[in-house]
Amino acid sequence: MNRKQEMIKKLAKRAKARKNKVVPSNPSTKTVERYISKADREKIALAEAAEQATTATTADNAETKATPKADKE
């Protein structure tokens, strides 16, 4: 890469950085979908699975506790 190309690349990077810092005066209510990496997707999936497992176990525990009481009455 020659010197002129390097300067153009640096200028483009700086311009992009300046643009990213600017807060829009009228932000839209629709959020921009961002790229989620494969590792982040796996973390989200594991968190959801753990949450579902905890809700399932708490529901099972509630049912087992409620069932003997119903039999006694």
Side-chain angles (χ1 to χ4, degrees):
M1 192 178 297
N2 63 29
R3 190 170 181 85
K4 187 175 182 180
Q5 289 173 327
E6 287 179 22
M7 293 299 291
I8 291 171
K9 187 175 181 179
K10 285 182 183 179
L11 283 172
K13 274 186 152 181
R14 290 178 190 147
K16 185 177 179 184
R18 273 189 248 113
K19 184 182 176 187
N20 287 338
K21 287 184 179 180
V22 174
V23 177
S25 60
N26 187 13
S28 64
T29 57
K30 186 177 179 184
T31 59
V32 177
E33 291 185 20
R34 304 243 183 230
Y35 174 76
I36 301 173
S37 68
K38 197 174 194 179
D40 288 340
R41 279 185 261 145
E42 288 179 9
K43 288 178 187 176
I44 292 169
L46 287 173
E48 288 177 358
E51 184 179 322
Q52 289 176 355
T54 56
T55 55
T57 56
T58 55
D60 290 342
N61 290 341
E63 288 178 12
T64 56
K65 288 179 181 178
T67 307
K69 291 179 183 177
D71 292 337
K72 291 180 181 179
E73 292 177 13

